[in-house]
Amino acid sequence: MNIINIEHIAKIYQVGTEEVHALADVSIRIDKNEYVAIMGPSGSGKSTLMNILGCLDTPTKGLYDFKGQNVSQMNDNELASIRNREIGFVFQTFNLLARSDALHNVELPLIYAGVPTAERRERAQAALENVGLADRMRHKPNELSGGQRQRVAVARALVTNPAIILADEPTGNLDTKTGEDIMALFQEINSSGNTIILVTHEEYIAEHAERIIRLRDGLIEKDEVVKERLVPNGNKHF
Amino acid sequence: MKNFLFEVKEGLIISLKAIRANKARSVLTTLGIIIGVASVVLMSTAIKGINQSFQKGVASLGSDNLYIDKWAWFNNDIPWWEMRNRKDITMEDYKKYKELAKLPLAIAPRVNAFRTIKYEDKSVQSIAMTGTDHNYINTTNLTFSEGRFFTEFESKGGRAVVVLGSEIAKKLFPFGGAIGEFVKIGGYKFKVVGVLKEQGSWVMGSWNPDNQAYFPFQNVFKYFRSRHRGSVTIEVRAPNSQMVEAVKEEAISIMRRIRGLKYNEKDDFAINQQEGLLSNINKTVGVIQIAGLLITGLALFVGAIGIMNIMFVSVKERTKEIGIRKAIGAKRRTILGQFISEAAIICLIGGLIGLGVAIIGSMIIAQFDFPVTVDADAVILAVSISLITGVLSGFAPAYTASKLDPVDALRYE
Ligand SMILES: Nc1ncnc2c1ncn2[C@@H]1O[C@H](COP(=O)(O)OP(=O)(O)OP(=O)(O)O)[C@@H](O)[C@H]1O
Ligand SMILES: [Mg+2]
């Protein structure tokens, strides 16, 4: 079943008199529980695509059908609500609230979802335990390592139990070892039924996914299945 | 609701941190709110104090009273020189009026002299000595803490007896025991027969019963001034408030007869009422109000601009945070609410400080015989004014924040 269906999406920026086609014409279908990597040179439109898929941005042209709903027609509030319930973001720069501890950062999406305090607390704690940070709940981002921060971000993305996880270069700011750990976490998340879309510059990171979509100049260059999937921490799978 | 409270708490913590980080700026921005709230609270407290005192005065002197006098208390239509040229109202006029008037409940004459009262080495200066007769007490609601008013017998005999107002008694007899003692008024000995309870109408100044002393009127003429100089005030009490107008009509017609006025001549006397006093007090209150509102308005305006400014800076500094919040599902109104509550809380803190300043200010004022107290209403006023200012000044920055595009905001460094 398609969870995401975009057809002839374009995103055009007007810079002065010039039109920048960040995305020219992109059509993709993604199934439930798929694990997709998006690759491409810098400026090829990966982040733009992720923003549209994540309902942070709307396309200039084309149709975006998310779980049977026409997202291209939605207003700000409806988009915010979809982001809150259906989408979990993981960013390259973590994007945690600097003044709040890990627990509160993970609780925040649940606050916006209107989950009662006790349940919220419980779910946030479970999510943090799930990413191996049971003993770091009261730490603020600047008291955590990069890898730990990213795990807080993953916990925050997972806590609402969203339909898809969108990760834009989640390992970009991490060393290889820590990046591997995050990839292991993603593997686990994917095996428990979540759909993951991941942007990366690293071939070996992309090969953890089942499918790689390659972008160039706002167009799909290649959409391929990964034949030999990598399993985190060195073991080859299949 | 819970979420809202949580968000408010979150906003409070964040804004408190921002305030701590920018102490000087924060103090300056809340200064306007502090001054504004302090002045509005002081103003309303002062006005309330004045009104209360006036009500007390009316209560102790009687609200259904008329004062027949040569001078109109608060009439600005008649020039003062015209009033000055009027014939004095004499004791004879009073006696005739008393004979002819059918409607009043009680009638008493009043002549005043300002004198110093002494007891041993203590003295109080410029006391309004009220010379009157035994009926006077029936024209008022004065109450006694000790003793009594002078009797008909003492009154008719013009005895050297005196009733002291509470403030005078307090100063001359700080340990009580005034009854039966002799005080010296203008050098003459008077026996104290009564001490009044505190009536508490400081707004009336020397006409406050607390600052007056009462003795039979004959004493005024005997010791202090000629019978033929100065005018008598006739105090008249109507049986009830419905009768006040009728008593007034009757008084006018009787007085015109006594004074021998022809039909085409104007009244050469005034029938004064406490309403006159009220309108005079309202003028004072009006001046305080205008001054207070001006200061308050200006200070709050400056304060609001300051808060707006600090909030715009805060929104700018926290663009990234806004982007993060939006990305994980904060709606526009959530962001709007967050920043508005922050502004409101900053203002509330300023308002509470202002309230504290006002409370201290009122304590200081109370030292100067102007007993005002900040009450619950003032607290509500302070809180609501600061909250409203906060919401109004926070709205524009909060609106800007809520309209930020999440992608742009996330990209902001
Ligand atoms: N707000 C904007 N205004 C104008 N042009 C934009 C804007 N956002 C993106 N672009 C342009 O769109 C193109 C795609 O940008 P995008 O951020 O999607 O690239 P990317 O593939 O994520 O690159 P990178 O790998 O460096 O992150 C770029 O040429 C960029 O300059
Ligand atoms: Mg990018």
Side-chain angles (χ1 to χ4, degrees):
Chain A
M1 194 202 85
N2 286 160
I3 197 163
I4 283 171
N5 182 12
I6 55 172
E7 278 170 23
H8 306 295
I9 288 278
K11 182 72 185 181
I12 302 163
Y13 291 106
Q14 197 74 42
V15 181
T17 53
E18 208 187 335
E19 278 190 346
V20 177
H21 290 247
L23 292 174
D25 182 355
V26 174
S27 301
I28 303 172
R29 283 163 189 256
I30 293 171
D31 281 342
K32 191 165 165 19
N33 203 17
E34 254 195 282
Y35 190 169
V36 182
I38 297 173
M39 296 199 71
S42 185
S44 56
K46 305 182 293 295
S47 295
T48 308
L49 178 60
M50 288 295 260
N51 289 341
I52 289 170
L53 292 178
C55 299
L56 277 170
D57 210 350
T58 45
T60 318
K61 279 188 227 160
L63 186 120
Y64 180 11
D65 183 297
F66 179 84
K67 284 175 91 180
Q69 296 163 281
N70 185 358
V71 174
S72 349
Q73 300 292 316
M74 285 184 178
N75 67 25
D76 275 12
N77 264 350
E78 290 166 322
L79 291 175
S81 164
I82 295 248
R83 287 197 295 270
N84 184 234
R85 285 182 288 108
E86 307 281 14
I87 294 161
F89 287 100
V90 179
F91 301 92
Q92 179 175 357
T93 53
F94 321 129
N95 285 348
L96 300 173
L97 295 190
R99 296 184 185 89
S100 305
D101 61 20
L103 189 61
H104 183 228
N105 266 293
V106 177
E107 269 186 281
L108 205 57
L110 298 177
I111 291 173
Y112 294 137
V115 176
T117 317
E119 186 192 334
R120 193 166 78 206
R121 182 73 22 123
E122 218 165 276
R123 280 171 65 178
Q125 280 168 351
L128 279 166
E129 278 161 23
N130 208 22
V131 298
L133 286 179
D135 54 346
R136 294 284 189 278
M137 295 198 192
R138 289 298 176 189
H139 288 233
K140 301 224 165 105
N142 63 0
E143 298 158 357
L144 295 169
S145 72
Q148 287 170 332
R149 285 184 219 181
Q150 197 58 300
R151 280 195 263 168
V152 174
V154 172
R156 180 180 67 185
L158 284 174
V159 76
T160 53
N161 202 11
I164 53 171
I165 302 282
L166 295 177
D168 195 344
E169 297 187 44
T171 59
N173 278 15
L174 304 175
D175 61 43
T176 320
K177 167 77 181 64
T178 322
E180 270 301 89
D181 290 347
I182 295 295
M183 292 324 289
L185 200 54
F186 275 36
Q187 189 75 64
E188 229 177 279
I189 294 163
N190 182 237
S191 343
S192 60
N194 284 77
T195 311
I196 298 179
I197 304 171
L198 169 119
V199 168
T200 181
H201 279 271
E202 322 264 12
E203 202 67 40
Y204 82 93
I205 293 284
E207 281 172 10
H208 289 82
E210 303 166 316
R211 173 182 170 194
I212 299 177
I213 297 170
R214 294 182 196 275
L215 290 183
R216 182 177 294 275
D217 298 333
L219 288 166
I220 295 180
E221 190 187 41
K222 214 167 175 192
D223 186 343
E224 58 189 347
V225 173
V226 178
K227 300 216 179 61
E228 285 197 61
R229 271 184 86 187
L230 288 177
V231 163
N233 300 326
N235 313 319
K236 293 242 175 188
H237 220 235
F238 306 115
Chain B
M1 186 60 204
K2 265 204 187 121
N3 300 328
F4 175 74
L5 285 180
F6 190 91
E7 281 296 299
V8 167
K9 198 182 103 193
E10 158 98 353
L12 172 64
I13 292 166
I14 293 169
S15 52
L16 281 177
K17 274 185 183 150
I19 288 170
R20 280 234 304 272
N22 303 290
K23 279 191 201 92
R25 188 171 70 180
S26 307
V27 167
L28 282 178
T29 46
T30 49
L31 200 60
I33 309 290
I34 293 172
I35 296 172
V37 168
S39 62
V40 76
V41 168
L42 273 181
M43 174 190 76
S44 75
T45 307
I47 289 171
K48 198 172 277 174
I50 289 171
N51 282 335
Q52 260 168 13
S53 169
F54 176 72
Q55 297 306 334
K56 276 190 186 166
V58 169
S60 64
L61 296 178
S63 51
D64 305 332
N65 284 22
L66 300 173
Y67 303 86
I68 304 173
D69 208 332
K70 175 175 159 180
W71 299 89
W73 289 352
F74 303 108
N75 193 332
N76 300 323
D77 301 339
I78 305 166
W80 67 272
W81 46 265
E82 197 182 310
M83 293 201 266
R84 190 196 56 190
N85 290 339
R86 287 171 172 176
K87 280 188 295 180
D88 284 337
I89 293 174
T90 61
M91 285 308 287
E92 281 63 45
D93 291 345
Y94 154 70
K95 278 173 197 152
K96 284 183 201 153
Y97 170 74
K98 185 157 187 181
E99 233 161 74
L100 294 170
K102 297 278 175 291
L103 299 176
L105 187 71
I107 303 170
R110 179 158 62 80
V111 286
N112 287 99
F114 286 84
R115 286 294 181 279
T116 297
I117 309 182
K118 283 187 185 159
Y119 177 72
E120 294 177 344
D121 56 343
K122 293 183 268 298
S123 70
V124 281
Q125 259 131 33
S126 297
I127 291 306
M129 300 299 310
T130 295
T132 184
D133 68 13
H134 60 282
N135 288 312
Y136 181 79
I137 194 67
N138 298 326
T139 69
T140 69
N141 297 328
L142 295 175
T143 47
F144 287 83
S145 69
E146 269 184 292
R148 54 172 175 79
F149 207 70
F150 45 87
T151 60
E152 184 174 358
F153 180 74
E154 287 164 335
S155 168
K156 291 225 162 101
R159 294 297 173 84
V161 288
V162 68
V163 172
L164 301 179
S166 63
E167 281 295 314
I168 299 169
K170 226 187 272 173
K171 281 174 191 146
L172 296 182
F173 302 94
F175 308 109
I179 303 297
E181 293 297 313
F182 285 87
V183 293
K184 275 193 168 173
I185 303 173
Y188 302 96
K189 268 172 128 187
F190 285 81
K191 186 177 168 189
V192 179
V193 296
V195 172
L196 293 181
K197 262 205 189 119
E198 191 177 321
Q199 313 293 322
S201 183
W202 49 267
V203 92
M204 305 175 100
S206 55
W207 301 114
N208 175 7
D210 296 340
N211 289 323
Q212 286 192 52
Y214 306 84
F215 53 27
F217 67 88
Q218 294 89 334
N219 291 296
V220 175
F221 300 132
K222 195 163 144 195
Y223 299 127
F224 305 138
R225 67 168 148 106
S226 153
R227 175 175 291 270
H228 308 293
R229 283 192 45 221
S231 188
V232 175
T233 302
I234 306 171
E235 298 213 10
V236 184
R237 167 168 274 199
N240 54 52
S241 50
Q242 283 84 19
M243 292 287 286
V244 171
E245 271 312 298
V247 171
K248 191 172 177 178
E249 297 288 310
E250 188 199 49
I252 292 172
S253 80
I254 293 173
M255 287 306 290
R256 288 184 67 87
R257 255 171 73 194
I258 295 172
R259 314 269 279 180
L261 297 177
K262 297 201 189 75
Y263 72 95
N264 58 352
E265 283 178 302
K266 282 197 285 185
D267 291 349
D268 62 352
F269 54 88
I271 312 280
N272 293 308
Q273 276 176 275
Q274 298 204 342
E275 267 95 280
L277 189 57
L278 182 64
S279 74
N280 207 43
I281 280 171
N282 282 343
K283 267 185 220 154
T284 316
V285 166
V287 170
I288 296 176
Q289 248 162 355
I290 289 169
L293 286 180
L294 218 70
I295 298 170
T296 304
L298 209 69
L300 286 180
F301 183 72
V302 172
I305 301 264
I307 298 287
M308 198 185 288
N309 185 46
I310 208 179
M311 289 309 292
F312 269 122
V313 171
S314 170
V315 167
K316 188 94 191 146
E317 281 170 355
R318 287 155 63 191
T319 301
K320 183 105 182 186
E321 176 197 321
I322 296 163
I324 296 170
R325 288 176 183 273
K326 286 199 152 189
I328 60 177
K331 294 195 167 81
R332 275 188 186 174
R333 64 176 138 81
T334 317
I335 301 290
L336 190 75
Q338 182 192 331
F339 280 91
I340 287 181
S341 17
E342 278 188 46
I345 285 162
I346 295 176
C347 284
L348 189 62
I349 292 169
L352 292 179
I353 297 172
L355 186 64
V357 170
I359 289 172
I360 294 167
S362 73
M363 285 169 166
I364 293 169
I365 293 173
Q367 300 294 306
F368 298 104
D369 249 0
F370 191 91
V372 285
T373 45
V374 175
D375 57 8
D377 286 1
V379 176
I380 293 169
L381 184 74
V383 168
S384 42
I385 279 189
S386 40
L387 283 180
I388 289 168
T389 311
V391 169
L392 290 181
S393 56
F395 188 82
Y399 187 73
T400 317
S402 75
K403 288 290 245 188
L404 281 178
D405 179 65
V407 176
D408 291 343
L410 275 171
R411 202 180 284 143
Y412 184 88
E413 287 305 331

